[in-house]
């Protein structure tokens, strides 16, 4: 629509029989948001004006030869980069060469500037008629991220319950790494939502809740904790014979913790939509889910306890799994001291108390039968393994 309107307006105002440059400008400057449309319009106008002025200046001094053309193009590229014209930087040398290609520099240059101005103005006016707002898509993207994290945790729980094998753990790690694409998509959606309200006359009736940014940050950290937990679980069973894999007395409490954590993340994601639709939603379901997950965390800590002196590698891997799942719950817990974001928060040094809450030093020294397992050479030695 903007292309056709720009063509007609330029034809009427300039008397140009084929004002294709105006139509092309309108096509290029209209973007998804009003702010982006205005920004692209200024960049397009600046590139054309810079190219026309540069061509007129250099052609009047050097004329048109093969070497002056090269100088003009080089200068135009430098000017385009210096003015930070973005995707329209190449329009500077293009405009300069098109002006040099005709005999009358003044008329050709002014005509190109006029058509560009008309095309940009039409593009901005068309965008002002119904400027879009992308707040709901951002909330949907963040909610989808929470849904995927929760679904992955519940799938990992089912795999652990059926049998904690290296193949299943490695598959879970691959899926956890794949969450990064969803995180990137949520970031882009939120940035687009914030851009859609800049310069938008509808910003008084539509807004991006500040909780969206904090909830996305919480889910970003949660994704890291899930990925590191899956990395630890993969290291724990890599190279371990089938007969020596963790038994049901270890797998079941860990599976219950993973499943409950998945429910908590899903409940956290359901609050995102309510932030956009109206007043903050009821977080009672989230509180119950987090409380249940913390209770199961204590049970999993007891079930996964091994002697820290005799099996330090196993103790550290088990502790890293429980520790990162506990940090995940901290990210989404509405009662936590720092909720929904981990900025400015430092991870405390790992210790037996933080990894295995509510366990005494005497119980740390007591060895549970059937838990002394070999661990691979790549197991953690001193701190939680990096997400790879």
């Amino acid at each position: 629509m903007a292309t056709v309107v720009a063509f007609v307006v330029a034809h009427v105002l300039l008397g140009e029989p084929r004002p294709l440059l105006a139509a092309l400008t309108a096509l290029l400057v209209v973007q998804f948001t009003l702010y982006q449309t205005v920004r692209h319009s200024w960049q397009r106008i600046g590139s054309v004006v810079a190219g026309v002025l540069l061509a007129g200046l250099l052609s009047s001094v050097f004329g048109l030869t093969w070497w002056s053309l090269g100088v003009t193009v080089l200068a135009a590229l430098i000017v385009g980069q210096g003015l930070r014209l973005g995707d329209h930087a190449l329009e500077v040398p293009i405009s300069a060469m098109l002006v040099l290609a005709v005999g009358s520099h003044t008329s050709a240059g002014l005509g190109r500037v006029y058509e560009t101005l008309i095309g940009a103005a039409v593009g901005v006016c068309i965008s002002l008629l119904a400027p879009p707002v992308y707040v709901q898509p951002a909330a949907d993207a963040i909610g989808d991220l929470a849904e995927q994290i929760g679904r992955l945790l519940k799938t990992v729980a089912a795999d652990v319950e059926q049998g904690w094998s290296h193949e299943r753990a490695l598959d879970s790690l691959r899926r956890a790494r794949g969450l990064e694409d969803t995180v990137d998509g949520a970031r882009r959606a939120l940035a687009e939502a914030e851009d859609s309200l800049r310069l938008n006359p509808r910003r008084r009736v539509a807004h991006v809740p500040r909780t969206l940014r904090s909830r996305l940050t919480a889910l970003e950290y949660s994704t890291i904790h899930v990925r590191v937990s899956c990395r630890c679980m993969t290291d724990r069973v890599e190279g371990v014979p089938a007969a020596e894999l963790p038994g049901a007395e270890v797998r079941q409490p860990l599976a219950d913790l993973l499943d409950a954590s998945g429910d908590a993340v899903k409940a956290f994601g359901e609050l995102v939509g309510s932030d956009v639709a109206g007043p903050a939603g009821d977080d009672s379901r989230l509180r119950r889910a987090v409380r249940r997950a913390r209770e199961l965390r204590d049970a999993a800590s007891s079930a996964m306890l091994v002697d820290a002196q005799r099996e330090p590698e196993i103790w550290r891997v088990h502790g890293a799994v429980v520790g990162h799942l506990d940090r995940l719950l901290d990210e989404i817990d509405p009662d936590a001291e720092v909720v929904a974001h981990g900025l400015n928060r430092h991870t405390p040094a790992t210790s037996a108390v933080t990894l295995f809450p509510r366990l005494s030093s005497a119980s740390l020294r007591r060895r549970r039968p059937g838990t002394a397992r070999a661990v691979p050479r790549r197991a953690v030695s001193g701190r939680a393994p990096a997400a790879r």
Side-chain angles (χ1 to χ4, degrees), residues 174-190:
R174 282 193 289 264
R175 284 178 288 175
R177 288 170 174 167
L179 289 174
E180 189 60 34
D181 293 336
T182 309
V183 172
D184 290 339
R187 288 197 197 105
R188 289 193 297 269
L190 183 55

Side-chain angles (χ1 to χ4, degrees), residues 263-264 267-268 270-271 274 280-292 332-335:
D263 288 334
F268 180 80
E270 291 175 359
L271 294 177
S274 63
D282 184 11
D283 60 359
S284 58
R285 179 172 177 267
L286 172 60
R287 294 175 186 274
R288 290 193 300 269
V290 171
R291 190 180 310 116
R292 175 173 175 269
I332 63 177
D333 187 357
D335 294 325

Side-chain angles (χ1 to χ4, degrees), residues 135-136 139-140 205 207 209 211-212 270-281:
V135 178
Q136 188 60 53
D140 293 340
V205 296
H207 68 284
T211 53
L212 281 188
E270 291 175 359
L271 294 177
V272 176
S274 63
D275 290 343
V276 175

Side-chain angles (χ1 to χ4, degrees), residues 133-174:
V133 175
Y134 295 106
V135 178
Q136 188 60 53
D140 293 340
I142 297 173
D144 181 63
L145 174 59
E147 175 68 23
Q148 291 195 34
I149 295 174
R151 191 186 312 133
L152 174 60
L153 285 169
K154 296 178 76 68
T155 302
V156 175
D159 290 342
V160 170
E161 185 176 10
Q162 295 172 11
W164 190 352
S165 65
H166 181 255
E167 291 74 17
R168 286 175 174 171
L170 194 60
D171 182 63
S172 298
L173 177 59
R174 282 193 289 264

Side-chain angles (χ1 to χ4, degrees), residues 4-304:
V4 176
V5 173
F7 185 93
V8 174
V9 171
H11 175 70
V12 172
L13 295 180
L14 302 179
E16 177 68 32
R18 291 178 295 179
L20 294 178
L21 179 59
L24 177 62
T25 300
L27 177 65
L28 292 177
V29 301
V30 174
Q31 303 294 315
F32 287 107
T33 66
L34 178 61
Y35 170 75
Q36 292 177 352
T37 298
V38 173
R39 182 164 61 90
H40 278 257
S41 297
W42 281 114
Q43 289 177 342
R44 179 78 179 180
I45 293 172
S47 63
V48 171
V49 171
V52 170
L53 293 177
L54 191 62
L57 175 64
L58 295 182
S59 63
S60 62
V61 176
F62 303 112
L64 178 58
T65 62
W66 64 268
W67 61 267
S68 64
L69 177 62
V71 171
T72 302
V73 171
L74 177 60
L77 291 173
I78 295 174
V79 169
Q81 294 298 322
L83 295 177
R84 298 181 181 180
L85 297 174
D87 297 336
H88 298 279
L90 284 179
E91 184 63 29
V92 180
I94 292 174
S95 297
M97 287 189 292
L98 290 177
V99 171
L100 291 176
V102 298
S104 176
H105 301 154
T106 302
S107 60
L110 289 178
R112 189 170 180 82
V113 171
Y114 292 151
E115 287 193 42
T116 300
L117 290 172
I118 292 174
V122 169
V124 172
C125 291
I126 293 296
S127 298
L128 279 171
L129 294 179
V133 175
Y134 295 106
V135 178
Q136 188 60 53
D140 293 340
I142 297 173
D144 181 63
L145 174 59
E147 175 68 23
Q148 291 195 34
I149 295 174
R151 191 186 312 133
L152 174 60
L153 285 169
K154 296 178 76 68
T155 302
V156 175
D159 290 342
V160 170
E161 185 176 10
Q162 295 172 11
W164 190 352
S165 65
H166 181 255
E167 291 74 17
R168 286 175 174 171
L170 194 60
D171 182 63
S172 298
L173 177 59
R174 282 193 289 264
R175 284 178 288 175
R177 288 170 174 167
L179 289 174
E180 189 60 34
D181 293 336
T182 309
V183 172
D184 290 339
R187 288 197 197 105
R188 289 193 297 269
L190 183 55
E192 208 167 76
E194 293 170 341
D195 272 352
S196 68
L197 295 179
R198 299 175 68 177
L199 306 180
N200 196 324
R202 298 172 58 191
R203 64 182 178 272
R204 293 187 178 181
V205 296
H207 68 284
V208 178
R210 283 185 290 181
T211 53
L212 281 188
R213 174 64 65 181
S214 62
R215 294 189 192 281
L216 175 58
T217 304
L219 292 174
E220 289 178 9
Y221 279 94
S222 299
T223 303
I224 296 174
H225 293 310
V226 171
R227 188 166 65 246
V228 176
S229 298
C230 291
R231 175 75 264 177
C232 295
M233 294 169 63
T234 303
D235 287 343
R236 172 63 181 87
V237 294
E238 183 179 4
V240 179
E244 297 182 2
L245 290 172
E249 71 281 358
V250 174
R251 298 198 319 267
Q252 188 61 53
L254 177 59
D256 292 340
L257 171 59
L258 289 165
D259 186 78
S261 299
D263 288 334
V265 175
K266 284 188 173 183
F268 180 80
E270 291 175 359
L271 294 177
V272 176
S274 63
D275 290 343
V276 175
D282 184 11
D283 60 359
S284 58
R285 179 172 177 267
L286 172 60
R287 294 175 186 274
R288 290 193 300 269
V290 171
R291 190 180 310 116
R292 175 173 175 269
R294 291 198 186 282
E295 294 172 354
L296 293 172
R297 173 207 61 191
D298 296 340
S301 298
S302 300
M304 298 174 69

